[in-house]
Amino acid sequence: IHFYKSEISKVMDLVLESPKSCAEFENKNGMKWAREIIVDYYTRTEEGWLLGCMVKVLSVVAKENPTQGGLSQSYCLEVHYKIGSEKSREEWFVKIPKSLQTVAMDERELVMYHKIFPRLQVFLSENLFEDQNVDLPIPIIFASSFQGDGIHDCLVTENLCANNYFQVDQDTTKLAYMRAAMTSLANIHGITFSFMKSLGGKEKLLSEFPTIKEQYLPNTQDIQQRFNSTIQPFLAYLAVLQPDIAQQTQV
């Protein structure tokens, strides 16, 4: 993951008007948007990088993500550019909030990716022994912009599908994938717990990052009945079938 200490204070400085369609990503303004992100990313992550004036975006190819989420419209971008005479290509995954009604959830995600995860990465680099290899299971973050106005809100990460990852569907919700997901979550939760202790506890963490305050589902009878009749029996069955993950299923 490409983060440095000096990046933390600047990660939210880039404010860009977000394209809203494939055509907008591919036109002249979309290419200018992509160039701003490339220059900002290298300026933040490459110490002493001064080649921004030499960056030229050659083309942007955009496709809608075939598996859309409920809160954001997402796109897969292929960005061709050159720095001087050297040509390069980036594969991006871009999320644009669908409406102002979802801004709270979108803000939480952006804060996690562009404030908390970089802090956790720095925490790891300062506290691990040299022979320990622990990293955060998250993609490279090229840019994020959040103003909560439905205009300057977006998240740009690397497209993991370009590195042979694939999206979960009905054929990949099997035990191996569940175990991999739980391992990644456990990794993040464990690192966060250690980081929280280093700050002085939960209240200190929430005071520094108030956006991530705990959210509770409505305590309704319908939700409780559905959980008791469907999810709880399945978790109990899974704990018997796979004893090595029994503890996680009982949380």
Side-chain angles (χ1 to χ4, degrees):
I1 181 169
H2 299 213
F3 283 123
Y4 296 84
K5 290 183 183 180
S6 60
E7 185 180 347
I8 293 174
S9 62
K10 300 185 291 182
V11 289
M12 298 297 283
D13 291 347
L14 187 66
V15 178
L16 297 173
E17 183 172 344
S18 305
K20 296 291 193 299
S21 67
C22 291
E24 290 185 14
F25 280 113
E26 294 177 346
N27 67 21
K28 184 180 295 186
N29 288 334
M31 293 171 63
K32 181 180 178 181
W33 173 87
R35 182 186 181 280
E36 293 279 353
I37 291 174
I38 292 169
V39 172
D40 176 76
Y41 176 75
Y42 281 115
T43 301
R44 285 188 285 108
T45 60
E46 299 288 343
E47 187 174 355
W49 190 82
L50 300 172
L51 303 179
C53 62
M54 300 175 66
V55 175
K56 181 179 181 180
V57 173
L58 304 175
S59 66
V60 176
V61 179
K63 297 180 180 179
E64 288 192 5
N65 176 25
T67 310
Q68 294 289 337
L71 301 178
S72 303
Q73 187 75 17
S74 52
Y75 302 87
C76 299
L77 269 59
E78 191 174 293
V79 181
H80 297 263
Y81 65 99
K82 64 179 181 178
I83 302 175
S85 59
E86 183 178 348
K87 293 184 178 181
S88 299
R89 184 183 73 176
E90 302 289 356
E91 304 245 8
W92 291 348
F93 182 76
V94 182
K95 296 181 70 174
I96 308 293
K98 285 185 176 180
S99 71
L100 292 176
Q101 282 68 43
T102 66
V103 292
M105 292 297 295
D106 292 309
E107 182 182 20
R108 285 163 62 88
E109 183 175 30
L110 291 178
V111 168
M112 285 298 301
Y113 275 117
H114 241 19
K115 282 191 175 181
I116 298 177
F117 286 148
R119 284 288 298 276
L120 293 179
Q121 191 67 35
V122 172
F123 173 75
L124 281 177
S125 67
E126 293 176 342
N127 290 277
L128 286 178
F129 294 109
E130 291 185 1
D131 61 342
Q132 291 179 306
N133 184 22
V134 179
D135 210 342
L136 292 171
I138 60 173
I140 296 171
I141 311 301
F142 284 96
S144 73
S145 176
F146 181 81
Q147 299 295 305
D149 58 5
I151 300 174
H152 304 89
D153 305 328
C154 71
L155 174 66
V156 182
T157 75
E158 66 172 319
N159 185 356
L160 292 175
C161 291
N163 293 320
N164 298 320
Y165 289 84
F166 51 87
Q167 293 179 312
V168 173
D169 56 30
Q170 62 182 2
D171 295 320
T172 56
T173 52
K174 298 176 182 178
L175 188 59
Y177 302 101
M178 294 170 63
R179 189 177 276 128
M182 293 174 75
T183 299
S184 294
L185 288 172
N187 192 353
I188 292 175
H189 289 171
I191 295 169
T192 304
F193 182 73
S194 297
F195 175 65
M196 181 179 70
K197 289 182 65 177
S198 74
L199 292 179
K202 179 179 176 180
E203 295 303 321
K204 291 286 187 180
L205 178 71
L206 293 178
S207 66
E208 187 165 348
F209 304 106
T211 308
I212 64 167
K213 64 182 179 181
E214 294 173 297
Q215 303 290 319
Y216 296 96
L217 288 172
N219 187 18
T220 66
Q221 187 176 2
D222 182 57
I223 291 177
Q224 186 67 47
Q225 288 176 346
R226 288 177 181 273
F227 179 85
N228 291 340
S229 64
T230 58
I231 299 176
Q232 196 170 44
F234 174 74
L235 291 177
Y237 166 75
L238 194 60
V240 173
L241 188 66
Q242 296 292 331
D244 60 320
I245 62 171
Q247 183 176 358
Q248 292 97 320
T249 63
Q250 302 305 310
V251 175

